[in-house]
Amino acid sequence: MKNPLDSAALNAAIENVHRAGMPGLFAEVRDGDQVWRGAAGVADVATGRPVTAGMRHRVGSITKTFTAAAVLQQVESGQIGLDTPIGRYLPKLVPGERGDAITVRMLINHTSGLAEYLPYAYPSLKAYPALADTGPQSLDDHRLTRFDPTELIEMGVTAPAVGAPGGTPGVYSNTNYLLLVQLLEQATGTTVERYITRNVIERAGLRDTELPAGPYVTGPHSQLYEAWFGMIDPPRDYSVYDMSWVGPSASLISTVADLNRFYGMLLAGEIVSPSSLAQMQRTVPVVSQEGRTIDYGLGLHPMEGPGQGTFWGHGGTVWGGGALAMTRADGKRQMAVAVNMQRWNRLDSSGKPQPHPIDDALATLYRVAMYG
């Protein structure tokens, strides 16, 4: 298990991702007291401004771990029941039999059967998951749209169900987490931004992490380039974007250092209790947005290398940006990586994303970062 950080190998691995076609990326890897930070490529393809390891970044669905931790804090205080039907709390949003059948746990682990609302909110994505029949036009149209979360929830709840409540494999859906946001606001009597800031972000001592109010990333950051499976060529900068399309299910801005700090404290039982952490690490099979079946807990998912021990964390994407943060179960080895382009795989004649050199280069970086 003991593989100290190999700075030369990490530097080479991060540079190779850039060479494979990623405009820019940056990362922090920790092993006990050892810390490596690295960056490769550019934050702005027009000016050539370089990326740096301390940049702030939209980290997408990594936000879900923060939201899940906030819900579990409320479970601990008796305000929310993990296995209580959501209809008991939000009868207007999930009415009738489904409200009685879907529990809070099913929302957190994506086994509610509720559909993803995104193809309904973005007209050009209507054909999703048939990628070849989608287009990026509405990504542009909605750059500064202020979505109403209850309207997005209604789209997901009224769409055809993707499974029976509690059935597996579950299907990953942002509708679940928008409902959890509404639940948290009802339980705490405050906005979820304020609650998560005070009880998760500040509790973890994170200085560069926030749920944004407006469409801008403040402080040093990279532009974010969306390729939409080669349909946007060259990729377009979506770094200025109103994040109400996902709200506190995927809008967090953070740094790689803050992400490692957060997951280290979470796995040490310092954000939620050890028994809540054990609940978060109980997994079920869930079909991810990329169509792969993964093990998923309560806002956490595991990654394992052969004979290498289990890492826990989350990945995330937004239009143009992505991140992955993973921490070994014992908290000693940690990795957080941020990239500034998304959906770089072009589609083949059957409409499936084709392999791209970036995929292998990223996989190698993750392997060197986690297992040395």
Side-chain angles (χ1 to χ4, degrees):
M1 292 288 286
K2 193 81 193 97
N3 294 321
L5 295 187
D6 183 339
S7 294
L10 285 162
N11 288 333
I14 199 168
E15 187 59 46
N16 282 340
V17 182
H18 170 54
R19 286 206 187 115
M22 179 61 64
L25 72 159
F26 44 101
E28 181 189 84
V29 181
R30 290 179 165 265
D31 193 302
D33 296 334
Q34 277 191 294
V35 183
W36 171 89
R37 292 190 186 98
V42 297
D44 187 329
V45 296
T47 65
R49 173 172 63 93
V51 282
T52 61
M55 283 182 161
R56 304 178 87 226
H57 194 72
R58 296 197 193 279
V59 299
S61 284
I62 287 174
T63 317
K64 289 183 172 64
T65 313
F66 288 70
T67 306
V71 173
L72 281 150
Q73 288 175 355
Q74 288 298 298
V75 171
E76 288 169 25
S77 70
Q79 293 298 109
I80 292 172
L82 202 48
D83 295 302
T84 302
I86 192 63
R88 211 168 291 172
Y89 300 113
L90 304 170
K92 287 200 176 77
L93 292 176
V94 194
E97 286 180 18
R98 284 168 104 192
D100 295 337
I102 294 169
T103 64
V104 173
R105 185 192 300 272
M106 291 171 200
L107 295 174
I108 312 177
N109 71 10
H110 298 293
T111 59
S112 69
L114 292 171
E116 174 63 66
Y117 61 80
L118 276 177
Y120 302 91
Y122 282 79
S124 68
L125 307 187
K126 195 169 162 213
Y128 182 87
L131 296 174
D133 299 327
T134 66
Q137 301 81 354
S138 51
L139 273 58
D140 247 14
D141 299 341
H142 283 320
R143 210 182 263 264
L144 296 174
T145 301
R146 196 85 196 139
F147 284 105
D148 177 333
T150 57
E151 288 176 11
L152 295 175
I153 289 167
E154 192 182 0
M155 292 174 189
V157 171
T158 56
V162 293
T168 55
V171 177
Y172 192 95
S173 166
N174 284 292
T175 307
N176 294 317
Y177 274 72
L178 286 194
L179 279 162
L180 292 169
V181 168
Q182 298 293 316
L183 173 64
L184 271 170
E185 295 195 337
Q186 183 174 301
T188 62
T190 185
T191 67
V192 81
E193 288 85 357
R194 197 171 294 140
Y195 182 84
I196 288 177
T197 299
R198 210 170 45 223
N199 295 280
V200 182
I201 294 171
E202 288 175 3
R203 183 182 291 196
L206 310 183
R207 301 223 173 100
D208 286 304
T209 300
E210 65 173 341
L211 288 161
Y216 298 95
V217 181
T218 55
H221 64 279
S222 172
Q223 312 309 107
L224 301 175
Y225 297 102
E226 180 59 54
W228 197 258
F229 307 102
M231 295 180 214
I232 310 177
D233 191 15
R236 194 170 298 141
D237 174 17
Y238 283 139
S239 53
V240 175
Y241 212 98
D242 187 302
M243 295 302 290
S244 59
W245 64 280
V246 278
S249 69
S251 63
L252 199 73
I253 292 168
S254 191
T255 62
V256 287
D258 269 7
L259 292 177
N260 279 337
R261 181 179 173 88
F262 167 70
Y263 281 105
M265 291 184 73
L266 180 71
L267 289 172
E270 292 175 41
I271 308 294
V272 298
S273 70
S275 63
S276 291
L277 179 63
Q279 294 284 349
M280 292 180 82
Q281 292 176 315
R282 277 176 58 185
T283 64
V284 291
V286 168
V287 179
S288 74
Q289 281 179 315
E290 294 77 42
R292 289 179 300 123
T293 300
I294 59 171
D295 292 321
Y296 196 90
L298 301 184
L300 276 180
H301 68 81
M303 276 174 78
E304 288 178 58
Q308 300 282 1
T310 305
F311 280 69
W312 290 92
H314 212 291
T317 71
V318 296
W319 310 134
L324 178 66
M326 284 284 160
T327 291
R328 201 165 66 203
D330 64 6
K332 295 282 190 293
R333 185 81 172 217
Q334 297 191 277
M335 162 194 92
V337 179
V339 298
N340 68 2
M341 183 171 68
Q342 274 306 309
R343 285 160 282 272
W344 51 79
N345 306 79
R346 291 174 179 266
L347 304 179
D348 63 20
S349 54
S350 70
K352 284 199 173 62
Q354 295 176 330
H356 189 288
I358 290 173
D359 304 326
D360 286 341
L362 268 177
T364 300
L365 172 61
Y366 298 155
R367 194 166 60 244
V368 173
M370 294 201 291
Y371 310 118

